[in-house]
Each structure stands twice: as structure tokens, then as C-alpha cells.
Amino acid sequence: MSNPSDNAYFGDIVAEAISRRGALRAGALGALVVSTGVVGVGAALPAAADPVRDKESVIGGHGGNGGNGGHGSSGLKFTPVPPNKLDELTVPAGYDHSVVVRWGDPVLPGAPAFNFNNQTAAAQATQFGYNCDFVTLFPMGKDRALLWVNHEYTDENLMFRGYTDGTAATEEQIKIGLAAHGGSVVEIARVGKSGKWALVTSGRRKYNRRITAQTPMRFSGPAAGSDLLKTAADPHGKVVKGMLNNCAGGTTPWGTILTAEENWNQYFVGGNGVPEAQKANLTRYGVSTTAAIPSGSRRFDRIEERFDLAKHPHEINRFGWIVEIDPFDPDGTPIKRTALGRMAHEAATTTIAKDGKLVAYMGDDSRFEYFFKFVSKNRYIPGFDRHNRDLLDEGTLYVAKLTGDSPAAEIDGTGKLPADGAFDGSGVWIPLVSGNKSFVPGMTAQEVLVFTRTAADKVGATKMDRPEDMERNPVNGAIYLALTNNTNRTAAQLDEANPRPSNKHGHILEIVEYRNDAGATKFAWSLPLICGDPNDPSTYFAGFDKTKVSPISCPDNVAFDADGNLWISTDGNALGTNDGLFVMPTQGKERGFVRQFLTVPFAAETCGPFITADQRSVFVAVQHPGETTGATPDAPTSRWPDGDQPRPSVAVAWHKQGKKIGS
Ligand code: FEO
Ligand code: CA
Ligand code: CA
């Protein structure tokens, strides 16, 4: 937590009147779809000009097939997997699963086979990186695809025998750490006619690529070239080496990846040595300003002095961005898009506003932080790639401010619904900056983009319980935000959108933009899911019978299937069992019927998920299996997936008879 602002939790916020009563009821959402025709933008709808990108493929994901229209059953029929602490990936009866790609697997043609006891940085830079998070897939026909995976961070305690800390680490170990960050593009192929997919291990694999913490990148947008981005290594503030701590992400309609730099604050030392006037900027992003080496530091500064803030105080401003990468351009330079602001970016998921402008929704994942959206200045034009490629450089960045519609006294922290029957209300998107125009008093446009948290503080944005992934429902157009948890929220800090003190289990926020237009500046919201053990009276499952639902804790990543069912992966299950993947219908009579589809191995978090458009396959990333205090390669707490060292991996699950996932 690093937000000391005195922004209202709701306080004196003036609500804009929005005619919303009933809008979130199941039937009404279906009606919205009918009246507006809104469907989500494909996760990977490719550019028409490029024959490689298969526009009509059934495996693109998020395609939107009209779904169930808000009526009747969700079509979900599987028997939920029970909570467990097994060191294995479990799926429901009738399903199977396999590992697609694991830490160390060769990515580039010619890469050496993984050798745990003889790792080198040169090998790691050609092999699949560590802790996989965001997963997305770009079709190349029905049975081939490119898989993109973020490598968020490294856990050297599990990667190297005898590792103690970054100060004692060998230089090679530190270099391996740098190389194991970033992301991977790998070619995968369907196995037979099933929902199973496997890594392609031979042939040209011309798109396969490793991005690391050292890959050359460039800045674009209004803060590119800003004094705030200039360093000794880059006196023009235009280029940077690498990306750090890329957590979740999104895709663009023109078929590129948006990957989100999240907890980049942990990689820098020397915060005590920056000019005094800059220290508040570090503190606001959770960067230490004391002389002590932060605990757990990987000491990248021992290899590259840019990680020492005392020597290069602006270097840290060059991290914390949304990075755009074209998976079909293996030599392309990744682009840090400054117009989308700088924060602990969790994700950036895109959709199209009614007037054709591109919209990206983004969470800032820390306790008491905010959520944002970017709306492009120009319109998205299907197929006009050269035009679309600049959309993320010009536009308006907004932050959300929410107001409840029930009396504060009714938000008593017990989870009891207010008298009007819902934790709900209205909200406004407050503009922070548009191109070179700042809307924040006392801050320039470039300062707003580089110090976005401070800008949001000044306009009174609403402090949320760790805003993580956001996603638009392809069927009904509503937007969903995972709020993972916030055990620091006190009873005095409750509001209708964050109604539980010491919120261990988190909740889901549902937003209906005004007129269901992603470009709107006001919205209605409600909480359809307040997580935990259903026997806990503070939980809420959209009014669904709590005796039938699965316990769920710490929602992190969200995705939709083409029927508009919300898939939720969890990180940090505070109920004491393994994390997993859940599904919840968002409309119809099963709205709120949460069921657990899979569990991941011991001490892992579940990332992704990605459901293919044909709904025959679901991909998840299994991040940090066996990451428990004191675990080492010689005393691991997970041996997944191969029975020896734990290896973060991407897995796929499918129905053995080829049925839709969840059926
Ligand atoms: Fe890397 Fe917010 O999870
Ligand atoms: Ca209410
Ligand atoms: Ca996450």
C-alpha cells in the first residue's frame, strides 16, 4: 500500500444521476444487447492485410457467438472440483489436461534442452521464462496458433540450489534472472482433433521469440522524449532496455499484445540517493527511499548500474507502462505506450466505443489504488492497420470515481445487503490528460502520464481493494473488474463498492457504461460477487443459492467464453486451499452460480485464463508452484509438473469427448 492521499472512500462525491435501476438485473442486460448490438471485440481479431492472421479462425477466443441472450441456462453442466491441497492440476470428471510449455523449454530453434543443474543466461534467453502470467493466443488457421505468455518475475530461491539472496548470488544467476523475465511467443498445434494443444518443437517456428528484461524497446505517445524519461543511457528519453514484472495483459483488435508492467518498483536500489524533490514520486509507487537494500532484491544493479537510482534517478520512470508487442513481427521493437499512464499496471483490455474509438480498461493493482480507462482520439478502422497502429498514442486517460446509492449507515461491514437490495451505485470517468493537455491542476500532461497515481489522487478517484484484471463481456457489454483483496481496509474506510473491512477474499465489480457505450463518461455499477466461503455471511453470490456454489477467494484474472460466462482465476486463496479457475454466469437464472472448474498445484496461482472461441480448450498459466517460505530445490513443496523441481507452466484442459468447456 502506498496511497496516503485523503481521497474520499466515498464521502462527498456527487453522483451523476444515471437511470440504472434494474439495469443490472439479468433480463435487462440481455435486452441491452438486443438494443445496442454490442459485442466484445475479438481478443485477437487479426488484420485483414496479413494472410498469416486467420480472421475467421474458430480458435481466436472471445469471439462472441450471441450466447444465451440472457435467458435460461448458462449451458454449464460440469461437476465442480472440490477444494484441495494436492500437488497436481485437477479438472472435472470427463476432462483431461496437459502441460503445453514449461519453464526452460526451448523457444528459439536451436535452444538447448533445459538443464536445471547447469543453467546459463545465454540458454535462458532462448528458453521459456519463469513465472508465467498473462496467456493469449493468436490463431494461424484452425489447428495452429501463436501462444503469448508473460514471464512476470523470478523466484531465485526455487531456481538455484543454495541461493540465499541477490547480494550473494553469482553474476550468472543474476543474468539468468534478467533473461527469465519478459515474455515468450511460441508456436503451438492442436493434437489430433481434440481440444489438446502442444508446443511445436521442430521446423522453422519463425515467430518464436523471447522478450527479456534486456530487449530493446521504444517509447511512444505524449511522454516519449520527456525530460522525466531521459537518462545517461538514453539522453533523448525515447528508448529503453526491457520490461519488468509483466503481469496480466490484453490484446488489440489489430492482433497485438498489450502487456502490463506491474510490480517494477522492486527491482531498483539506491532510492536514498535521488534528489530530495523526487523522493515523493518514489514513495507513491512503493519504492524504498532508505539506504537499505530492499529485502528480496535480485540486485540487478550488480550487473547493470541503471538499476541503481542513486546513479540514474530517472531510470525507474521508464518502467510501469503498457507495452505493445506484435507476435507476428519477431524482429519488431516493443513499444511502451505512454498515453496509457504509469502505475502497477495489471492489464489493458480493449473494446470499441459506439463511435468507433478504441477503449482500454486498466487496473492499478495495489491496495487502495484506482482503475482507469483510455479512449483513443481517432477511430478504429477494421483492416486499416497502418492507421490503427497509432491509436494508442493519442487519446484521453480517465480514472474512475464511484458513488454508492445507499445510506452509509447501511454499509456496516457485515456483508448484509443495503435496504435497496444491492451494493451498487453510479460512477464517473474523470479525465486526467488528453494528448498534451492536462486536466490535473499543478501537473503537466507528461507529469500526469509518468506520475499517474499522484494525478488520480488530486482528482479524488475512488480507492479500491486491489484492482486487477478488467474485461468486457462479449454478450452483454458489461465490464468486470476483479478486486483481489485488501486486508488493510478498516471499518472506517468502507464504502459501498468496497464494503468489507479487512477484505481477505475480494470481490467482483460489474460496470454498465452509460448506454452500454465504452466511450461514455458515466456508468452504473454493482457487486455481483463478494467472495469467500459461502457459509460466511459476508459473501454474496448475486442472490444465487449459496448452498450450491463453490468457495472462491482472491479473484485475479478474468475472461469470458463466447456465451458470456465469466471465468475467474484466483491468486492467494485465503481459505487455505489451492488456487483455481472458476466460472460464473453473469446473466439468466444462473447468475452468481460460481463453480470451480480446476485447481492448480500446491502454492501456485492460476493465471490466464484463455478460452478459445470454439470453447473446446481452456489455457491457464500455473504460476509459482511450490512457492512457500523456506522452500528450496532440495526441499521443494511442489514437484509439479514432472516430479522433480517445480516449473511454472502453461497448461490446457479439454473435454475428452470434445464438448464445450464447462458442459
Ligand atoms: Fe501480478 Fe496483480 O498480479
Ligand atoms: Ca445500494
Ligand atoms: Ca494478476
Side-chain angles (χ1 to χ4, degrees):
M1 172 195 162
S2 50
N3 186 353
S5 75
D6 56 3
N7 282 2
Y9 294 93
F10 272 139
D12 53 355
I13 297 168
V14 180
E16 281 189 42
I18 297 179
S19 170
R20 69 160 306 279
R21 186 59 64 195
L24 293 168
R25 285 189 203 123
L29 273 180
L32 282 173
V33 178
V34 173
S35 64
T36 66
V38 167
V39 292
V41 169
L45 290 182
D50 185 338
V52 173
R53 300 169 199 243
D54 181 354
K55 197 168 191 169
E56 302 305 324
S57 170
V58 294
I59 56 169
H62 303 225
N65 64 359
N68 55 35
H71 306 294
S73 150
S74 62
L76 299 168
K77 293 198 182 76
F78 68 97
T79 303
V81 299
N84 65 71
K85 297 174 81 165
L86 300 170
D87 187 30
E88 55 191 70
L89 197 151
T90 70
V91 292
Y95 287 81
D96 206 347
H97 73 277
S98 68
V99 170
V100 179
V101 55
R102 46 170 80 58
W103 170 46
D105 282 349
V107 169
L108 302 184
F114 183 62
N115 182 341
F116 182 86
N117 293 312
N118 187 25
Q119 298 176 56
T120 67
Q124 177 63 81
T126 64
Q127 297 166 330
F128 198 67
Y130 207 71
N131 276 334
C132 31
D133 199 299
F134 178 60
V135 171
T136 195
L137 188 145
F138 297 86
M140 296 193 296
K142 206 157 63 67
D143 301 326
R144 286 261 167 163
L146 294 182
L147 181 72
W148 164 267
V149 185
N150 282 359
H151 300 303
E152 182 174 2
Y153 71 98
T154 47
D155 186 341
E156 284 78 358
N157 294 299
L158 293 176
M159 293 167 70
F160 308 119
R161 291 186 204 282
Y163 185 89
T164 52
D165 59 33
T167 303
T170 67
E171 291 198 355
E172 191 67 13
Q173 286 172 332
I174 297 172
K175 289 176 183 168
I176 292 167
L178 283 158
H181 279 72
S184 291
V185 178
V186 292
E187 194 173 325
I188 59 172
R190 186 189 299 276
V191 177
K193 295 191 186 315
S194 72
K196 178 178 182 176
W197 290 76
L199 192 64
V200 175
T201 55
S202 62
R204 272 184 75 203
R205 294 162 288 164
K206 65 177 179 178
Y207 299 116
N208 280 23
R209 184 177 190 185
R210 274 304 321 282
I211 304 277
T212 74
Q214 296 173 311
T215 301
M217 307 195 173
R218 68 178 175 91
F219 291 103
S220 72
S226 151
D227 286 347
L228 294 167
L229 298 189
K230 291 176 182 168
T231 64
D234 173 27
H236 302 294
K238 294 278 185 71
V239 294
V240 59
K241 271 174 71 182
M243 59 185 199
L244 290 171
N245 212 264
N246 291 71
C247 187
T251 52
T252 64
W254 50 94
T256 59
I257 301 143
L258 299 177
T259 171
E261 293 183 304
E262 190 193 26
N263 294 311
W264 40 271
N265 55 343
Q266 64 186 279
Y267 297 92
F268 294 85
V269 302
N272 59 311
V274 307
E276 214 49 45
Q278 292 180 29
K279 286 189 177 171
N281 294 330
L282 294 183
T283 305
R284 187 63 187 83
Y285 282 93
V287 181
S288 167
T289 54
T290 70
I293 300 287
S295 119
S297 172
R298 296 172 184 80
R299 297 300 309 273
F300 286 172
D301 60 293
R302 289 179 51 207
I303 301 299
E304 297 190 38
E305 68 171 36
R306 64 184 172 128
F307 292 103
D308 184 346
L309 292 168
K311 292 178 182 151
H312 303 284
H314 280 174
E315 187 66 36
I316 197 166
N317 295 345
R318 295 144 60 79
F319 295 86
W321 301 100
I322 294 294
V323 187
E324 183 174 4
I325 296 170
D326 185 344
F328 290 99
D329 183 4
D331 300 318
T333 304
I335 305 169
K336 296 198 177 186
R337 298 284 185 189
T338 65
L340 278 63
R342 177 171 165 269
M343 59 195 77
H345 272 297
E346 174 74 19
T349 52
T350 63
T351 186
I352 304 292
K354 277 193 177 170
D355 61 4
K357 293 177 178 176
L358 185 83
V359 180
Y361 290 95
M362 303 177 284
D364 180 357
D365 179 14
S366 291
R367 295 169 180 143
F368 300 114
E369 294 301 343
Y370 312 120
F371 63 97
F372 299 81
K373 78 173 176 186
F374 169 86
V375 181
S376 67
K377 174 171 176 243
N378 296 315
R379 290 180 186 158
Y380 169 67
I381 304 174
F384 192 180
D385 205 46
R386 196 158 43 81
H387 162 85
N388 295 331
R389 295 270 172 160
D390 294 331
L391 288 179
L392 291 171
D393 283 340
E394 271 190 290
T396 304
L397 181 64
Y398 298 88
V399 67
K401 181 169 182 169
L402 284 69
T403 306
D405 66 0
S406 293
E410 294 183 8
I411 313 302
D412 64 7
T414 64
K416 188 177 153 216
L417 293 178
D420 69 354
F423 293 109
D424 63 349
S426 57
V428 292
W429 292 106
I430 303 172
L432 296 173
V433 58
S434 189
N436 290 317
K437 179 174 173 48
S438 166
F439 299 107
V440 182
M443 295 180 80
T444 66
Q446 292 178 338
E447 286 168 341
V448 170
L449 293 171
V450 178
F451 306 117
T452 307
R453 282 185 173 175
T454 306
D457 293 343
K458 287 179 188 280
V459 301
T462 302
K463 296 173 167 181
M464 306 296 291
D465 287 350
R466 289 189 57 194
E468 297 234 34
D469 203 358
M470 297 186 78
E471 193 88 35
R472 191 172 203 192
N473 187 325
V475 172
N476 63 27
I479 319 295
Y480 296 78
L481 167 65
L483 295 151
T484 289
N485 58 39
N486 182 356
T487 49
N488 287 6
R489 190 176 289 272
T490 66
Q493 295 171 326
L494 301 181
D495 57 46
E496 200 166 341
N498 300 278
R500 278 195 303 195
S502 188
N503 182 9
K504 282 191 296 192
H505 302 301
H507 52 284
I508 298 278
L509 179 81
E510 180 180 64
I511 292 170
V512 176
E513 297 271 30
Y514 183 62
R515 294 181 173 160
N516 212 9
D517 178 3
T521 54
K522 55 190 177 181
F523 57 89
W525 63 265
S526 74
L527 305 184
L529 177 62
I530 301 178
C531 301
D533 183 326
N535 294 314
D536 170 351
S538 78
T539 60
Y540 178 66
F541 292 76
F544 196 82
D545 181 354
K546 289 213 265 180
T547 65
K548 295 195 167 77
V549 304
S550 296
I552 179 172
S553 174
C554 301
D556 184 339
N557 302 119
V558 289
F560 284 94
D561 62 31
D563 289 330
N565 295 310
L566 177 65
W567 293 76
I568 306 167
S569 63
T570 67
D571 172 19
N573 187 349
L575 295 168
T577 53
N578 290 355
D579 279 310
L581 177 64
F582 301 77
V583 61
M584 182 184 90
T586 56
Q587 54 193 72
K589 61 191 179 189
E590 293 183 4
R591 176 173 161 89
F593 187 4
V594 170
R595 277 164 279 187
Q596 181 153 23
F597 181 78
L598 64 75
T599 57
V600 292
F602 186 69
E605 78 172 89
T606 318
C607 302
F610 184 90
I611 294 102
T612 55
D614 67 3
Q615 302 194 66
R616 264 56 181 183
S617 312
V618 56
F619 290 78
V620 292
V622 177
Q623 186 174 158
H624 59 73
E627 187 178 70
T628 52
T629 305
T632 68
D634 298 312
T637 53
S638 170
R639 295 182 180 278
W640 188 86
D642 299 322
D644 44 22
Q645 302 304 329
R647 288 166 75 177
S649 306
V650 174
V652 62
W654 66 94
H655 192 281
K656 289 176 193 167
Q657 264 95 51
K659 293 181 184 168
K660 276 207 292 200
I661 293 295
S663 62

